[in-house]
Amino acid sequence: MDKLTVEESRELVTGRLLRRETERQQELERKREKKEQSTSSTEQVSYFIDTFADKRREIEESLNAADLGEVDKNQLPSHFDKINKDIQSLQRFISASTLYLRVYDIRKAQEAIQSLQQRNQELEEKLLPKKKFGFKIRKGISTTKKESFLQKIEDTVDSTSLSKVPFNKILCGYAENSCGFSGRTGETLSLSCDTICKKDVILSNLVGCTIKLTGPPGTLHITSLRNCRVMCGPVATSVFIDDCEDCILVLACQQLRIHNTKHCDFYLHVTSRAIIEDSTQVGFAPYNWKYENMEQHFKIAGLDVNRNNWDLVDDFNWLASDKPSPNWHILKADEKKDWV
């Protein structure tokens, strides 16, 4: 009996040693993976900063060439067209990189983009002045009909432009890769697939609005919304949200990053993990919006309808791994809403 007890004791000690060694190896593996991830993230950020700086310098050199008269007058329209496309390409590069960038990096990059856009606009207005145009009333057409026609043009332009993009640029096609709404209050707004397909959609400074985007945008930027409802079709790449409060957002995308946001509910279809930062009291539920041609739009966006990580959320402000973040929660059944 004593001999059996000794053997059992040896087996017990051996088992403990094996478990400790296994745990040690697992811990070493976790540290190695964490180090590799950290190194990879650092390399990605470094690549972004270097690439962004190179592209920004190329655009600035093109702007300087136009400003110094180094571009033939006949070539200026195509020259500015290329600059606009380069700026839009740089904007898409930012959107695709938001998953691993710090908020500071994103803000500095967006400020640089705005600076390039402003200088480009100023140079275009200086070097390519637009001729004033008017509508002549043909005989037999009443003034009322003319005013109605002009109002329709104004409404059409306004519904597909950003607050900082002049109407003449929309009409000339310079903002063809961007669209959205800004500075509206208490309105129901919508954009269809024809307008937003594979384009950059920007929603900013909206209060008490309902926005429906029935199509597959390339990216979606949402900034400074209050008490709004946003319903959007599948986004091909990233959705970036900043400074929103008391909103409901129904989104489908590859990547989602939420910053400085509170009291908002998200109905989500995301194929990676959502990220929140400096945000509180945000709730999550599965994406539940339906509209005509949605399945086709998922295919256009390249999103897997069977892969949805809506409840996998990383909180950059919560480091404890053994406790869930108090900043976000899953919506209860009686808290969920349906959409039409």
Side-chain angles (χ1 to χ4, degrees):
M1 187 70 178
D2 291 341
K3 185 176 180 180
L4 184 61
T5 302
V6 171
E7 290 177 353
E8 290 177 343
S9 298
R10 287 176 180 174
E11 291 178 358
L12 183 61
V13 171
T14 302
R16 286 177 178 174
L17 291 174
L18 288 173
R19 283 195 298 273
R20 288 178 182 176
E21 178 62 18
T22 301
E23 291 173 355
R24 189 181 72 84
Q25 292 294 337
Q26 290 175 344
E27 182 62 23
L28 289 174
E29 181 66 17
R30 280 195 293 269
K31 289 182 178 179
R32 184 186 65 79
E33 290 179 355
K34 186 176 182 180
K35 183 178 180 180
E36 289 180 353
Q37 291 174 354
S38 177
T39 302
S40 176
S41 178
T42 301
E43 291 175 350
Q44 287 177 313
V45 172
S46 179
Y47 170 77
F48 172 84
I49 292 174
D50 292 342
T51 304
F52 185 88
D54 290 341
K55 297 297 182 182
R56 177 184 180 182
R57 186 162 47 250
E58 291 176 6
I59 295 171
E60 288 174 340
E61 289 173 355
S62 296
L63 290 169
N64 290 337
D67 196 19
L68 296 173
E70 298 174 358
V71 181
D72 186 271
K73 280 189 175 183
N74 295 327
Q75 298 298 320
L76 280 175
S78 60
H79 185 75
F80 281 116
D81 183 60
K82 183 179 184 303
I83 291 175
N84 274 282
K85 290 179 179 178
D86 289 343
I87 292 175
Q88 291 162 2
S89 176
L90 198 55
Q91 177 67 69
R92 287 192 291 272
F93 180 50
I94 297 174
S95 300
S97 306
T98 54
L99 187 64
Y100 56 81
L101 292 178
R102 298 171 298 177
V103 172
Y104 172 80
D105 294 326
I106 296 172
R107 284 180 176 173
K108 295 298 290 185
Q110 293 289 6
E111 289 173 2
I113 288 287
Q114 291 174 3
S115 177
L116 291 172
Q117 289 174 331
Q118 182 176 353
R119 189 178 177 212
N120 187 48
Q121 176 185 332
E122 291 171 352
L123 283 176
E124 280 190 72
E125 293 173 351
K126 172 185 174 182
L127 302 175
L128 291 176
K130 303 295 187 297
K131 292 182 180 180
K132 294 183 179 180
F133 64 91
F135 292 93
K136 295 182 179 180
I137 303 176
R138 285 165 35 179
K139 191 174 182 179
I141 299 179
S142 67
T143 303
T144 303
K145 287 186 177 180
K146 176 196 172 187
E147 291 175 349
S148 177
F149 175 63
L150 291 175
Q151 184 63 48
K152 286 182 179 179
I153 292 178
E154 186 177 79
D155 291 343
T156 301
V157 173
D158 190 51
S159 68
T160 58
S161 64
L162 306 179
S163 63
K164 295 184 179 180
V165 180
F167 285 172
N168 63 338
K169 286 196 175 185
I170 297 295
L171 292 172
C172 293
Y174 289 142
E176 61 184 359
N177 286 327
S178 297
C179 56
F181 299 102
S182 182
R184 306 290 193 92
T185 300
E187 297 184 49
T188 298
L189 310 167
S190 65
L191 293 174
S192 66
C193 180
D194 292 340
T195 303
I196 67 176
C197 185
K198 296 184 178 180
K199 295 183 180 179
D200 301 324
V201 177
I202 303 177
L203 307 176
S204 65
N205 299 306
L206 304 175
V207 179
C209 291
T210 296
I211 306 98
K212 293 184 179 181
L213 307 173
T214 52
T219 62
L220 177 60
H221 297 260
I222 301 176
T223 306
S224 300
L225 267 60
R226 299 291 183 269
N227 192 31
C228 289
R229 292 184 178 182
V230 178
M231 286 160 276
C232 183
V235 180
T237 56
S238 304
V239 175
F240 183 75
I241 296 171
D242 185 32
D243 185 31
C244 292
E245 187 174 345
D246 297 320
C247 294
I248 297 174
L249 303 103
V250 189
L251 308 167
C253 58
Q254 288 188 19
Q255 302 171 350
L256 173 67
R257 187 156 185 174
I258 304 166
H259 178 252
N260 191 30
T261 291
K262 59 184 178 180
H263 301 133
C264 290
D265 291 340
F266 293 85
Y267 293 78
L268 189 61
H269 183 109
V270 61
T271 54
S272 61
R273 297 176 67 98
I275 294 174
I276 66 172
E277 188 172 11
D278 299 328
S279 300
T280 59
Q281 300 183 54
V282 289
F284 292 89
Y287 187 80
N288 62 350
W289 190 37
K290 298 289 184 181
Y291 65 87
E292 189 177 0
N293 297 324
M294 176 176 283
E295 292 183 2
Q296 180 185 359
H297 294 169
F298 263 90
K299 292 179 181 179
I300 294 174
L303 294 186
D304 185 351
V305 295
N306 298 314
R307 182 182 177 188
N308 187 4
N309 298 319
W310 67 272
D311 57 346
L312 300 181
V313 181
D314 292 330
D315 184 356
F316 278 11
N317 297 104
W318 187 253
L319 302 179
S321 59
D322 57 335
K323 295 181 180 180
S325 167
N327 297 321
W328 69 275
H329 60 278
I330 293 177
L331 294 176
K332 298 177 181 178
D334 59 350
E335 296 176 322
K336 297 179 184 178
K337 300 181 182 297
D338 293 322
W339 315 104
V340 292

